[in-house]
Amino acid sequence: MPLTVRDLLAIPSLRLELAAGRAGLGNVVEAAHASEMLRPAAWLEGAEVVMTTGLLLADDDTPEAWTQYAADVARGGAAALILGLGRPLPLQQVPSALAEAAEGLGLPLLTAPERTPFVAVTKAVFGARAAEERRLLERTLRTQRRLTAATASGDGLDALLRAWQQATGTAVVVCDALGRLLGAAGTDGTAAIAEAAGILDAVALRGLRGSADGDLPSGRVQVQPLGASRLRGFVLLLGAANAESRLLGSVLVSLLSVELERRHLADEPQRRRRAHLLAQLFTPELPPARARSLLTAAGVRSGAIRVLAVAADEQPDELAADLAMAAPGGLARVAGENVELVVGDGVNVEEILRRFAPGRPAGIGPTVAPQHAALSLRQAQALLPTSKELGRPVTTAEAGSVRLLLQLGSPALLSAFADTVLAPLDAQDPAASLGETLRVWLETNGSWAETAKLLGVHRHTVQARIERIAQLTGRRMDRIEDRVDLWLALQARESAPATPRPDGAH
């Protein structure tokens, strides 16, 4: 137990006596400080025993001076005031004004006889503090051994949490990286996680470097991340921390991190099995019944799915494991430089990516029937370049159908298509004025006036060029199919890597 004013008063060798302020005898004493200053508060940190002979105060022996002095000591957070009395000292008795002021402030006022030097009080305080710290360290070591034994017992997480709560009296909750309850002792874990959701989100954004504490409706909470190299979960410590729980906090975090890493490794065979299921699900022209069977085997009951392609970081296997843990069914695998994930319709994929792949390029394929998983995967992969450009995940709805179609084709195929459609213009238009006119005219939805304005030419010039293009390409400009072919050819040539035109021009 920490040293209190009552304990200090009970030490026989100090011969201290209580003069006033009995209400404060339970104050904790952390240090002793001798001072003859008239205003010592500025030099105090709190919980000190202030010792004085009243050397300067005796010169102004008025009730107001003693009252102001007592108020200043109390304002500094002192645990008690000790006044030295005796014939060789300035004071032989306690001034009544000082005693009254101390009593009103609840500040213990003790007296020390001339035979008790202040250094003896200082030694007693620091000796008691050292003994308490030694006892605390001994208790902490015993508790640490109990926690380690509980971890090694094979009884799992629950045994460790019970040992902690019984040893420290501090309630504890452990959840995974998505906030799902893994275990608790001394409190309702589900309710605590719900109350601390905002704090958990804030810590999750910083990963293993984050920690936070705050006040919940049910009391104080401290949140620490768990994991060795990647975030595996969180531990919540509820209630006011005592000295033992503060010392053992890092031990608990280490033991819990080991336990969660052990669970992660134990799940590896299951992750391999699900990756194998995923490879089968991506088979082209998969029969609907077989696709549903594969999803059922993984525990995915949704009638529709979507596929995510995420650019992997330095640890693709770990990223795949994180995404598998986050998504119902856990259908994730490493594929080259990417991680591919299948989720049921309705899963909040944006939240999963925000939590486990922040800043990583990601393509989110469209929602499809299970047998069309390969199509959703292909479109998700095609969206990765756009995601890299924008710096955030991209869905098919955002990308636009033309860009998507172009990304789905191979560069060679796109180049061949563009050359086939535009070859007559390449041969007759080395300055590319016809191609530029065609592009602007199509972008303005065939407006002669707007095209002329944008190109800075007369509208008759625009009409003549469009008629020339129609003659050279054999396309009818009033047919939507021909317009689409010309537009796709122009877009394909713009999106393809720079290559020499068929006529040798650049």
Side-chain angles (χ1 to χ4, degrees):
M1 296 294 291
L3 179 71
T4 65
V5 177
R6 182 179 289 105
D7 298 328
L8 190 64
L9 188 61
I11 299 175
S13 61
L14 297 181
R15 306 179 187 87
L16 302 176
E17 294 184 2
L18 179 66
R22 181 176 296 275
L25 289 179
N27 293 347
V28 173
V29 177
E30 295 185 355
H33 178 57
S35 173
E36 298 298 338
M37 300 177 65
L38 295 176
R39 297 291 181 267
W43 302 91
L44 303 179
E45 294 183 352
E48 298 98 340
V49 169
V50 177
M51 300 175 287
T52 182
T53 63
L55 180 63
L56 300 180
L57 287 162
D59 295 336
D60 185 15
D61 190 11
T62 63
E64 293 77 11
W66 290 111
T67 299
Q68 290 176 6
Y69 177 74
D72 187 77
V73 172
R75 186 166 53 253
L81 174 63
I82 296 180
L83 185 62
L85 301 178
R87 284 171 297 179
L89 300 177
L91 299 173
Q92 281 72 51
Q93 61 183 5
V94 177
S96 58
L98 177 61
E100 292 175 5
E103 186 69 31
L105 294 167
L107 174 68
L109 174 60
L110 313 182
T111 61
E114 59 185 271
R115 292 175 297 167
T116 300
F118 286 165
V119 69
V121 177
T122 300
K123 288 182 177 180
V125 169
F126 284 99
R129 291 277 299 163
E132 173 59 24
E133 290 177 0
R134 183 172 59 253
R135 289 191 295 270
L136 175 60
L137 180 58
E138 291 171 351
R139 290 199 309 271
T140 301
L141 291 174
R142 289 194 298 270
T143 303
Q144 181 177 343
R145 287 193 290 269
R146 289 174 57 188
L147 296 178
T148 304
T151 304
S153 67
D155 293 334
L157 188 64
D158 290 338
L160 173 58
L161 299 184
R162 285 196 303 270
W164 163 271
Q165 199 274 329
Q166 292 168 2
T168 66
T170 302
V172 60
V173 178
V174 175
C175 62
D176 67 13
L178 283 177
R180 296 176 295 206
L181 179 66
L182 298 179
T187 189
D188 181 342
T190 302
I193 291 172
E195 285 189 6
I199 299 176
L200 289 171
D201 285 343
V203 175
L205 290 176
R206 299 192 61 197
L208 294 177
R209 296 171 300 186
S211 65
D213 53 18
D215 293 312
L216 304 178
S218 59
R220 192 75 176 165
V221 66
Q222 180 185 3
V223 177
Q224 293 282 352
L226 301 175
S229 60
R230 297 180 74 90
L231 182 67
R232 304 291 185 207
F234 307 94
V235 57
L236 291 74
L237 302 177
L238 293 99
N242 53 42
E244 191 167 8
S245 65
R246 285 193 295 269
L247 284 175
L248 284 168
S250 59
V251 174
L252 178 65
V253 168
S254 297
L255 294 175
L256 288 172
S257 295
V258 169
E259 173 62 19
L260 295 193
E261 291 293 346
R262 183 194 65 76
R263 292 187 176 199
H264 172 74
L265 292 175
D267 289 340
E268 178 59 27
Q270 182 78 337
R271 288 194 292 273
R272 287 198 298 268
R273 185 183 75 84
R274 292 177 185 272
H276 180 66
L277 289 177
L278 195 57
Q280 297 179 61
L281 187 64
F282 288 150
T283 302
E285 301 181 4
L286 187 68
R290 176 58 177 161
R292 289 193 296 270
S293 174
L294 291 171
L295 289 178
T296 300
V300 178
R301 307 296 179 184
S302 177
I305 61 170
R306 63 199 312 190
V307 181
L308 281 68
V310 184
D313 56 9
E314 298 80 6
Q315 299 175 302
D317 292 331
E318 291 291 343
L319 177 59
D322 288 346
L323 295 175
M325 176 198 68
L331 289 171
R333 70 172 184 177
V334 177
E337 298 179 352
N338 301 327
V339 173
E340 298 164 354
L341 174 70
V342 168
V343 298
D345 188 28
V347 173
N348 189 341
V349 293
E350 288 80 6
E351 174 61 20
I352 290 175
L353 293 173
R354 185 184 71 86
R355 179 70 64 89
F356 295 102
R360 307 301 306 172
I364 304 173
T367 301
V368 297
Q371 65 269 24
H372 299 313
L375 175 61
S376 185
L377 169 63
R378 192 175 181 188
Q379 295 189 31
Q381 292 171 331
L383 293 172
L384 281 172
T386 303
S387 177
K388 291 178 181 178
E389 291 178 11
L390 297 179
R392 60 174 176 81
V394 176
T395 66
T396 51
E398 295 179 272
S401 58
V402 171
R403 177 180 290 183
L404 179 60
L405 288 171
L406 294 175
Q407 289 174 342
L408 290 175
S410 68
L413 180 62
L414 292 175
S415 179
F417 169 73
D419 290 345
T420 299
V421 175
L422 300 176
L425 299 186
D426 295 334
Q428 300 294 323
D429 183 32
S433 60
L434 292 179
E436 178 65 7
T437 300
L438 175 62
R439 182 187 65 78
V440 176
W441 185 72
L442 291 172
E443 286 181 349
T444 60
N445 198 27
S447 171
W448 306 109
E450 190 172 354
T451 302
K453 180 179 179 181
L454 290 172
L455 293 176
V457 299
H458 196 277
R459 61 178 293 165
H460 291 163
T461 302
V462 174
Q463 290 174 328
R465 288 178 180 178
I466 295 301
E467 289 174 2
R468 178 64 174 158
I469 292 169
Q471 293 172 358
L472 290 172
T473 61
R475 304 281 178 163
R476 286 178 51 185
M477 295 306 183
D478 59 348
R479 281 171 48 88
I480 186 64
E481 295 88 346
D482 287 343
R483 286 195 185 192
V484 169
D485 280 352
L486 291 167
W487 174 248
L488 285 175
L490 290 170
Q491 293 299 304
R493 180 163 286 178
E494 286 187 5
S495 64
T499 56
R501 296 230 317 248
D503 60 356
H506 296 275

